[in-house]
Amino acid sequence: MNTITLLISCKDQKGIIANVTNFIHNQDGNIVYVDQHVDREQEIFFMRTESEFSGNDFNLETFKAEFNKTIASAFDMKWRIYTSIEKAKMALFVSKYDHCLYDILGRYNSGELNVEIPFIISNHKDLKPIANSFNIPFYYIPVTKDIKNEAEEKQLKLLEEHKVNFIVLARYMQIVSDKLINKFPNKIINIHHSFLPAFVGAKPYHSAYKRGVKIIGATSHYVTEELDAGPIIEQDVTSVSHTHSIHDLIAKGRDLEKIVLSNAIKLHLNRKVMVYNNKTVIFS
Amino acid sequence: MNTITLLISCKDQKGIIANVTNFIHNQDGNIVYVDQHVDREQEIFFMRTESEFSGNDFNLETFKAEFNKTIASAFDMKWRIYTSIEKAKMALFVSKYDHCLYDILGRYNSGELNVEIPFIISNHKDLKPIANSFNIPFYYIPVTKDIKNEAEEKQLKLLEEHKVNFIVLARYMQIVSDKLINKFPNKIINIHHSFLPAFVGAKPYHSAYKRGVKIIGATSHYVTEELDAGPIIEQDVTSVSHTHSIHDLIAKGRDLEKIVLSNAIKLHLNRKVMVYNNKTVIFS
Amino acid sequence: MNTITLLISCKDQKGIIANVTNFIHNQDGNIVYVDQHVDREQEIFFMRTESEFSGNDFNLETFKAEFNKTIASAFDMKWRIYTSIEKAKMALFVSKYDHCLYDILGRYNSGELNVEIPFIISNHKDLKPIANSFNIPFYYIPVTKDIKNEAEEKQLKLLEEHKVNFIVLARYMQIVSDKLINKFPNKIINIHHSFLPAFVGAKPYHSAYKRGVKIIGATSHYVTEELDAGPIIEQDVTSVSHTHSIHDLIAKGRDLEKIVLSNAIKLHLNRKVMVYNNKTVIFS
Amino acid sequence: MNTITLLISCKDQKGIIANVTNFIHNQDGNIVYVDQHVDREQEIFFMRTESEFSGNDFNLETFKAEFNKTIASAFDMKWRIYTSIEKAKMALFVSKYDHCLYDILGRYNSGELNVEIPFIISNHKDLKPIANSFNIPFYYIPVTKDIKNEAEEKQLKLLEEHKVNFIVLARYMQIVSDKLINKFPNKIINIHHSFLPAFVGAKPYHSAYKRGVKIIGATSHYVTEELDAGPIIEQDVTSVSHTHSIHDLIAKGRDLEKIVLSNAIKLHLNRKVMVYNNKTVIFS
């Protein structure tokens, strides 16, 4: 059995659902999941289907060509398709904090994440022993103002060599340049340690402490050129009080960060996320 | 424009989604919402669609007959259909607590609930002034062991006269008999002041206090013959600590109860709930 | 029995707790609650005690004089004292939204709030019937640019005549002037319909929708001269998704707003809030 | 500087707080934290203080003897005292699940937990590589009906040899016998994968799925003779829906389990927990 995930968006119009489901049905696919969303203000239609095809008869390229010709062109669709056979390749970028890295690798190790991790990149050597203990190659690529370009070239070379599909910034403490962002549009997942759009930028826990908020948060989003302003994938919060020092906020925040980031990775991996207008549709 | 909501369940099989959406499309309906669920263990398929039909051409009875003949019978479906023109009739049963009643009537008054409330029934007179201030008829029907049967006859008479569609027990402190339950299957919504299945029955806050739980909850469910064991519609919880007395738990619980109950009413009113195997499918 | 609540702040120094508790003990008070907090960065000490005194022997003025002379002056304290006999007077300011008003009055009516509500002020007539149904005087004081000063004079006159202790802006859609704020420092409680500091100012749900956040919130705070920037008393949040329209966010937000505002009122009423550096200490 | 944590409980009576704080003050201690609780139903008083003493002058044994003679005996107190110099010793018991183990060891490694972990015991060999990668001795002690006694003797021997202070069952899939429980009263911390008291015993996620709850939880508690009925330290919950399979519930539950267990460990380590009547007082 091969499970095909199809993601579609186009201008909202009559007959899309019937036509798409009918097409899959006629191709002998069994639709096991369908969800759809319409942005009524923008009049944009979104749809996600999962369909099972028996392995022998099914030819992906034929399916794609046929779908493009008969359906996608008729409705002027943007669409993406994935098969359950492919395994995505995810690169991890880290610095010195280890809590997100442990969380991701622990899940990876226990089979919770259906992904390959070809390597970990870091601008510090601190977390190399963790990479080693999970048998994942670790590349130390220092970044300073003077060698930022050079460092990025090294990163890009590794990403290309390993045919990486998406990047996870697991508390990577460097701003990623437009060059990388443009090569991986909506494919770089960051974890920001605040409830965005509150406390953009550096030291959000310090700002939260100063402002005296009663709840802190963490936000996982796709990286865009504007800092901490990309499409939000997942957020979570926890209660705090005057009794918590900045140190306490940081500690409580770590637990949010790692869970929120791992949840965002899972949503991305399961092709549940569609991006438009700097927002996300998250199919459940 | 008339919006038609169609709820379907049947044995899971190939082609349901394509056939249903195609049928609606061919009837000149514009599908604006579709969601579906499959219980893989039980192999049961569930689906909810909303479709817009232009008022002039659309005939509900023709649609129903045609759907029954061509689709429902082919897949051996159970199905229900609602039009946006009908307004449901909801009866409220209360006793002495007023927080849920105020919450429901406040929403009703501000237009948040698209429902008619033909009357309020109570086994106490205490809340009559509230009913009066919202201009809703209030029937005082006392209930004691000796006159329980008689009281229920009065209730049933009112429910029938007013063609009530569903009943909300807004902290009604009497156990509803099988007779009423059988006349309103999955149509009596109760709010239980605990996180079910914990603390079934009387005085759940006292039990929660005694057990020393760190979180309390409230649960809205359909009433079935077994006490507090019906299909759960909505639940919510809040943190508590050793500093909270039973009195505090009751006060914190009131805020949960009223929000959870009102949310359950809205889900029911919007035909988002399907029941099977004593569980619910809640379409979002 | 008379319960005395004592709130203290001063520079952190050795011996405060021992001296204060000893003083109360020597005055024949039974300390039933003590909580304290130290801001280690600012080196400020905060303390709250509740003590029971037998009604016959206790003289508040003597206690205050004695405390001032022996303790407060020695530690250079700021302090406030309240007795359980006094009942606070709370004025409500509203506009057109009724959900917070219903929530507050429902609690007031059922005895949950130990407070007097001498009147409700509004710049619209819409909510007068609700005030009437709870038998609370309602003053319609329209506010436009031209008559803002005049309107405020009327408000102040009413507040003074009725010896109001604090003001609750229950979705009052006018900006309160410095004049009023200065007369009621940390005594005007507002509810802002966002998770501050995110989405300050007008139409926060529209901004939240546009930004595509996955969680929305509400914040109750004391009003200061800077808009939506005063000390935060209470916050809460709820999950949202792409399926929620702006209208849905507003509806979900209403449930947050009313509970958060009522919780803030209760904290204020129970003298659990201390303010410093534009933040709050909330004793539990 | 030596920080002394003092935990006290006794029958509620007048003058306790004043006498204790005065005693510490007179011993030249600087009280930096005091919190107290009274169970009004049972008339039991609880108190926790942290006090700083300058290292040179302070003698713990003298302090204890003096406190016992003058205060503890006068009020008939139960009391415990800890110094910041001692580091607690925590033994970990695991089976096959690794998520709690990774979470604890990750925190341990990054210095978040001020504790020694002398060893890990397991009835399976699966997690030995994780123990190795963190350089913690791992003892494989298989448990079957026939050798349960023998296995427990081995466990006890290790616990005694290493002077272990408390035990954490990090998803240890064996029932611990009374012998061990009695040697470590309120010193064995378990994580149960449900929102207790709902779903006691085996396979709680299966039961939650069957009951159709909308929220699942995890509970950390001290182990007592009755299964899953010990004093609750910490609980947390997360939302679920009909879309989640049992497998999904288990995956979501893992994230709850590890955070809840680690939080409980931190509360225990920081001596914030007092137990009475099978409940806990958790000082914040």
Side-chain angles (χ1 to χ4, degrees):
Chain A
M1 269 297 171
N2 195 347
T3 300
I4 299 297
T5 302
L6 183 61
L7 296 168
I8 291 166
S9 68
C10 60
K11 190 179 177 333
D12 190 28
Q13 52 205 291
K14 222 172 150 173
I16 310 172
I17 298 171
N19 274 279
V20 171
T21 55
N22 230 34
F23 176 85
I24 295 170
H25 186 56
N26 291 336
Q27 297 284 321
D28 232 17
N30 182 29
I31 302 170
V32 294
Y33 172 96
V34 57
D35 203 352
Q36 120 294 344
H37 172 64
V38 179
D39 182 321
R40 306 228 165 260
E41 290 194 359
Q42 310 277 330
E43 294 187 0
I44 311 175
F45 174 90
F46 302 88
M47 187 172 177
R48 182 180 182 280
T49 63
E50 286 180 23
S51 316
E52 292 170 351
F53 291 84
S54 82
N56 296 332
D57 309 334
F58 183 70
N59 182 299
L60 181 62
E61 293 313 313
T62 312
F63 181 94
K64 283 160 74 170
E66 197 67 20
F67 182 75
N68 202 32
K69 201 174 62 187
T70 56
I71 307 289
S73 60
F75 291 96
D76 197 17
M77 289 174 173
K78 287 185 206 166
W79 59 286
R80 292 182 283 149
I81 195 163
Y82 302 94
T83 81
S84 57
I85 293 161
E86 307 161 286
K87 206 179 226 183
K89 288 196 179 72
M90 169 175 84
L92 296 177
F93 282 38
V94 299
S95 291
K96 292 185 163 186
Y97 296 114
D98 63 6
H99 54 288
C100 287
L101 184 62
Y102 267 127
D103 197 76
I104 294 166
L105 296 183
R107 291 170 200 268
Y108 167 72
N109 209 37
S110 66
E112 186 179 320
L113 301 178
N114 182 34
V115 73
E116 280 181 43
I117 305 179
F119 57 83
I120 296 166
I121 283 175
S122 182
N123 58 331
H124 294 281
K125 289 180 180 168
D126 306 54
L127 305 185
K128 190 172 187 341
I130 300 178
N132 290 349
S133 76
F134 285 88
N135 294 315
I136 296 173
F138 181 93
Y139 295 97
Y140 166 53
I141 304 180
V143 179
T144 62
K145 248 187 217 168
D146 294 345
I147 57 165
K148 179 137 192 175
N149 262 338
E150 212 177 311
E152 203 152 76
E153 287 306 321
K154 283 185 197 165
Q155 293 172 353
L156 276 169
K157 196 153 166 274
L158 279 167
L159 293 165
E160 277 160 22
E161 276 175 16
H162 290 272
K163 295 182 179 157
V164 162
N165 298 104
F166 70 105
I167 300 167
V168 172
L169 309 182
R171 296 301 310 273
Y172 180 63
M173 306 304 277
Q174 291 287 327
I175 291 177
V176 169
S177 82
D178 295 358
K179 199 171 173 182
L180 200 63
I181 295 170
N182 292 331
K183 293 233 171 178
F184 290 88
N186 297 325
K187 286 176 179 169
I188 306 176
I189 300 174
N190 186 39
I191 178 73
H192 183 71
H193 39 316
S194 86
F195 181 91
L196 288 176
F199 310 126
V200 165
K203 297 202 175 270
Y205 293 126
H206 289 73
S207 304
Y209 179 82
K210 190 163 181 298
R211 180 64 185 91
V213 293
K214 301 304 182 190
I215 295 178
I216 57 168
T219 305
S220 189
H221 63 95
Y222 289 117
V223 176
T224 56
E225 298 190 12
E226 191 183 341
L227 185 66
D228 299 331
I232 293 170
I233 306 168
E234 174 97 352
Q235 299 190 290
D236 200 6
V237 295
T238 194
S239 295
V240 296
S241 77
H242 66 275
T243 62
H244 294 99
S245 65
I246 290 177
H247 182 82
D248 295 331
L249 298 192
I250 291 170
K252 292 198 81 168
R254 280 196 296 262
D255 290 352
L256 287 176
E257 293 162 25
K258 69 186 185 187
I259 305 292
V260 167
L261 179 57
S262 288
N263 282 342
I265 292 171
K266 283 193 277 185
L267 289 169
H268 183 91
L269 262 180
N270 295 329
R271 293 78 158 85
K272 302 246 176 177
V273 190
M274 296 187 76
V275 175
Y276 79 111
N277 284 357
N278 205 44
K279 308 205 295 187
T280 59
V281 171
I282 308 281
F283 289 113
S284 62
Chain B
M1 269 297 170
N2 196 347
T3 301
I4 299 297
T5 301
L6 183 61
L7 296 167
I8 291 167
S9 68
C10 60
K11 191 177 178 332
D12 190 27
Q13 53 205 294
K14 224 173 148 172
I16 310 173
I17 297 171
N19 273 280
V20 171
T21 55
N22 230 33
F23 175 84
I24 295 170
H25 185 56
N26 290 336
Q27 298 283 322
D28 232 19
N30 182 27
I31 302 170
V32 294
Y33 172 97
V34 57
D35 203 352
Q36 120 294 344
H37 172 64
V38 178
D39 182 321
R40 305 227 165 263
E41 290 193 0
Q42 309 278 331
E43 294 188 359
I44 311 176
F45 174 90
F46 303 89
M47 188 173 177
R48 182 180 182 279
T49 63
E50 287 179 22
S51 316
E52 292 170 352
F53 292 84
S54 81
N56 296 332
D57 309 335
F58 182 70
N59 182 298
L60 181 63
E61 293 312 314
T62 311
F63 182 95
K64 283 160 74 170
E66 197 67 20
F67 182 76
N68 203 31
K69 199 172 65 186
T70 59
I71 306 288
S73 60
F75 290 96
D76 198 14
M77 289 173 172
K78 286 184 205 167
W79 60 285
R80 292 183 283 149
I81 195 162
Y82 302 94
T83 82
S84 56
I85 292 161
E86 307 161 284
K87 207 178 227 184
K89 289 197 179 70
M90 168 175 85
L92 296 176
F93 283 37
V94 298
S95 291
K96 293 186 165 186
Y97 296 115
D98 62 7
H99 54 290
C100 287
L101 184 62
Y102 266 127
D103 197 76
I104 294 167
L105 295 184
R107 291 170 200 268
Y108 168 72
N109 210 36
S110 67
E112 187 178 321
L113 302 178
N114 182 35
V115 73
E116 280 180 44
I117 306 179
F119 58 82
I120 297 167
I121 283 176
S122 181
N123 58 332
H124 293 282
K125 290 181 180 166
D126 305 55
L127 304 185
K128 190 170 187 341
I130 300 178
N132 290 348
S133 75
F134 285 88
N135 295 314
I136 296 173
F138 181 93
Y139 295 98
Y140 166 54
I141 305 180
V143 179
T144 61
K145 247 185 219 167
D146 295 345
I147 57 165
K148 181 138 189 172
N149 262 339
E150 210 177 312
E152 203 153 74
E153 287 306 322
K154 284 184 199 164
Q155 293 171 352
L156 276 170
K157 195 151 166 275
L158 279 168
L159 293 165
E160 277 161 23
E161 274 174 17
H162 290 272
K163 293 180 181 157
V164 163
N165 298 103
F166 68 105
I167 299 167
V168 172
L169 309 182
R171 298 299 312 273
Y172 179 63
M173 305 305 276
Q174 290 287 328
I175 291 177
V176 169
S177 81
D178 295 359
K179 199 171 173 185
L180 200 62
I181 296 170
N182 292 333
K183 293 233 170 179
F184 289 88
N186 296 325
K187 287 176 179 168
I188 307 176
I189 300 174
N190 185 39
I191 178 72
H192 183 72
H193 39 316
S194 87
F195 182 89
L196 289 175
F199 309 126
V200 165
K203 296 203 177 264
Y205 293 126
H206 289 72
S207 305
Y209 179 83
K210 188 161 183 297
R211 181 64 186 89
V213 293
K214 301 303 182 189
I215 295 178
I216 56 167
T219 304
S220 187
H221 63 94
Y222 290 117
V223 175
T224 56
E225 298 192 12
E226 190 182 341
L227 185 65
D228 299 331
I232 293 171
I233 307 168
E234 174 95 351
Q235 299 190 293
D236 200 6
V237 295
T238 195
S239 294
V240 297
S241 77
H242 66 275
T243 63
H244 293 99
S245 65
I246 291 177
H247 183 81
D248 295 331
L249 298 192
I250 291 170
K252 291 197 82 167
R254 280 196 295 260
D255 289 351
L256 288 176
E257 293 161 26
K258 69 186 185 187
I259 304 292
V260 167
L261 179 57
S262 288
N263 282 343
I265 291 171
K266 283 194 275 186
L267 289 169
H268 183 90
L269 263 181
N270 295 328
R271 293 78 159 87
K272 302 247 175 179
V273 189
M274 297 187 74
V275 175
Y276 78 111
N277 283 358
N278 205 44
K279 308 205 296 187
T280 59
V281 171
I282 308 282
F283 289 112
S284 62
Chain C
M1 269 295 169
N2 195 348
T3 301
I4 299 298
T5 302
L6 183 62
L7 297 168
I8 290 166
S9 68
C10 60
K11 190 177 178 331
D12 189 29
Q13 52 205 292
K14 223 173 149 172
I16 309 172
I17 298 171
N19 273 279
V20 171
T21 54
N22 231 31
F23 175 83
I24 295 169
H25 186 57
N26 291 336
Q27 298 284 322
D28 232 18
N30 182 28
I31 303 169
V32 293
Y33 172 97
V34 57
D35 202 352
Q36 120 293 345
H37 172 63
V38 179
D39 182 321
R40 305 229 166 261
E41 289 193 0
Q42 310 278 331
E43 294 187 0
I44 311 176
F45 174 91
F46 303 88
M47 188 173 178
R48 182 179 182 281
T49 63
E50 287 179 21
S51 316
E52 293 171 350
F53 291 83
S54 81
N56 296 333
D57 308 334
F58 182 68
N59 181 298
L60 181 63
E61 293 314 312
T62 311
F63 181 94
K64 283 159 75 169
E66 196 68 20
F67 182 74
N68 203 31
K69 199 173 64 187
T70 57
I71 307 287
S73 60
F75 290 96
D76 197 15
M77 290 174 173
K78 287 184 206 169
W79 59 287
R80 293 183 282 150
I81 195 163
Y82 302 94
T83 80
S84 57
I85 293 162
E86 307 161 284
K87 205 178 228 185
K89 288 196 179 70
M90 169 175 84
L92 296 177
F93 283 38
V94 298
S95 291
K96 292 186 166 188
Y97 296 115
D98 62 6
H99 54 289
C100 286
L101 184 62
Y102 266 127
D103 197 76
I104 294 167
L105 296 184
R107 291 169 201 269
Y108 168 72
N109 209 36
S110 68
E112 186 178 321
L113 301 178
N114 182 34
V115 73
E116 280 180 43
I117 305 179
F119 58 83
I120 296 167
I121 283 176
S122 182
N123 57 331
H124 294 282
K125 289 180 181 167
D126 306 53
L127 305 185
K128 190 171 188 341
I130 300 178
N132 290 349
S133 76
F134 285 88
N135 295 315
I136 296 173
F138 180 92
Y139 294 98
Y140 167 53
I141 304 180
V143 179
T144 61
K145 246 184 218 168
D146 294 345
I147 56 165
K148 180 138 190 173
N149 261 338
E150 212 176 310
E152 202 153 77
E153 287 306 322
K154 282 184 200 166
Q155 293 172 352
L156 275 169
K157 194 151 166 275
L158 278 167
L159 293 164
E160 277 161 22
E161 276 175 16
H162 289 272
K163 293 183 180 157
V164 161
N165 297 104
F166 69 105
I167 299 167
V168 172
L169 309 181
R171 295 303 309 275
Y172 180 62
M173 306 303 277
Q174 291 287 327
I175 291 177
V176 169
S177 82
D178 295 0
K179 199 171 173 183
L180 200 63
I181 296 169
N182 292 331
K183 292 235 170 176
F184 289 88
N186 296 325
K187 287 175 180 170
I188 306 177
I189 300 175
N190 186 40
I191 178 72
H192 183 72
H193 39 316
S194 87
F195 181 91
L196 289 176
F199 308 126
V200 164
K203 296 201 176 268
Y205 293 126
H206 289 73
S207 304
Y209 178 83
K210 189 162 181 299
R211 180 65 186 91
V213 293
K214 301 303 183 191
I215 295 178
I216 58 167
T219 304
S220 188
H221 63 94
Y222 289 118
V223 176
T224 56
E225 299 192 11
E226 191 182 342
L227 185 66
D228 298 332
I232 293 171
I233 306 168
E234 175 96 351
Q235 299 189 292
D236 200 5
V237 295
T238 194
S239 294
V240 296
S241 77
H242 66 276
T243 63
H244 294 99
S245 64
I246 290 177
H247 183 82
D248 295 332
L249 298 192
I250 291 171
K252 291 197 81 166
R254 281 196 294 262
D255 290 351
L256 288 176
E257 293 161 25
K258 69 186 185 187
I259 304 292
V260 167
L261 179 57
S262 288
N263 281 343
I265 291 171
K266 283 194 275 187
L267 288 169
H268 183 89
L269 262 181
N270 295 328
R271 293 78 159 88
K272 301 247 176 178
V273 189
M274 297 187 74
V275 176
Y276 79 111
N277 284 357
N278 204 45
K279 306 205 297 186
T280 59
V281 172
I282 307 281
F283 288 113
S284 62
Chain D
M1 269 296 170
N2 195 347
T3 301
I4 299 296
T5 302
L6 183 61
L7 297 168
I8 291 166
S9 68
C10 61
K11 189 178 178 331
D12 189 29
Q13 52 204 292
K14 221 172 150 174
I16 309 173
I17 298 170
N19 273 280
V20 171
T21 56
N22 229 33
F23 175 84
I24 295 169
H25 185 57
N26 290 336
Q27 297 284 320
D28 232 17
N30 182 28
I31 303 169
V32 293
Y33 171 97
V34 58
D35 202 353
Q36 121 294 343
H37 172 64
V38 179
D39 182 322
R40 304 229 166 260
E41 288 192 2
Q42 309 278 331
E43 293 187 1
I44 310 176
F45 174 90
F46 302 88
M47 188 173 177
R48 183 180 182 280
T49 63
E50 287 180 21
S51 316
E52 292 171 350
F53 292 83
S54 82
N56 297 331
D57 309 335
F58 182 71
N59 183 298
L60 181 62
E61 292 313 314
T62 312
F63 181 94
K64 283 161 74 170
E66 197 67 20
F67 182 75
N68 203 31
K69 201 173 64 187
T70 59
I71 306 289
S73 60
F75 290 95
D76 198 15
M77 290 175 172
K78 288 184 203 168
W79 59 286
R80 292 181 284 149
I81 195 163
Y82 303 94
T83 82
S84 56
I85 292 160
E86 307 160 284
K87 207 179 228 184
K89 289 196 180 72
M90 169 175 84
L92 296 177
F93 283 38
V94 298
S95 291
K96 292 186 164 185
Y97 295 116
D98 62 6
H99 55 287
C100 287
L101 184 63
Y102 266 128
D103 197 76
I104 294 166
L105 296 183
R107 291 170 200 270
Y108 167 72
N109 210 36
S110 67
E112 187 178 320
L113 302 178
N114 182 35
V115 72
E116 279 181 45
I117 306 180
F119 58 82
I120 297 166
I121 283 176
S122 181
N123 58 331
H124 294 281
K125 288 181 181 168
D126 306 54
L127 304 184
K128 190 173 190 337
I130 300 178
N132 290 350
S133 76
F134 285 88
N135 295 313
I136 296 173
F138 180 94
Y139 295 97
Y140 166 54
I141 304 179
V143 179
T144 61
K145 244 185 221 171
D146 293 346
I147 58 166
K148 179 136 190 174
N149 261 338
E150 212 175 311
E152 202 153 77
E153 286 306 321
K154 283 184 198 165
Q155 293 172 352
L156 275 170
K157 194 152 167 276
L158 277 168
L159 293 165
E160 277 161 21
E161 274 175 17
H162 290 271
K163 294 181 181 157
V164 162
N165 298 105
F166 70 105
I167 299 167
V168 172
L169 309 182
R171 298 300 311 272
Y172 180 64
M173 305 304 278
Q174 290 287 327
I175 291 177
V176 169
S177 81
D178 295 358
K179 199 172 173 183
L180 201 62
I181 294 169
N182 292 332
K183 291 232 170 179
F184 289 88
N186 297 325
K187 287 176 180 169
I188 306 176
I189 299 174
N190 186 39
I191 179 72
H192 184 71
H193 39 316
S194 86
F195 182 90
L196 289 175
F199 309 126
V200 165
K203 296 202 176 269
Y205 294 125
H206 289 72
S207 305
Y209 178 82
K210 189 161 180 299
R211 180 64 185 90
V213 293
K214 301 303 182 190
I215 295 177
I216 58 167
T219 304
S220 188
H221 64 94
Y222 289 117
V223 175
T224 56
E225 299 191 11
E226 191 183 342
L227 184 66
D228 299 330
I232 293 171
I233 306 168
E234 175 96 351
Q235 299 189 292
D236 200 7
V237 295
T238 195
S239 294
V240 296
S241 77
H242 66 275
T243 63
H244 294 99
S245 65
I246 291 177
H247 183 82
D248 295 331
L249 298 192
I250 291 170
K252 292 198 81 166
R254 281 197 294 262
D255 289 352
L256 288 176
E257 293 161 25
K258 70 186 185 188
I259 304 291
V260 166
L261 179 57
S262 288
N263 282 343
I265 291 171
K266 282 194 276 186
L267 288 169
H268 183 90
L269 263 181
N270 295 328
R271 294 73 160 89
K272 301 246 175 178
V273 189
M274 297 188 76
V275 176
Y276 79 111
N277 283 359
N278 205 44
K279 308 205 296 187
T280 59
V281 172
I282 308 281
F283 289 112
S284 62

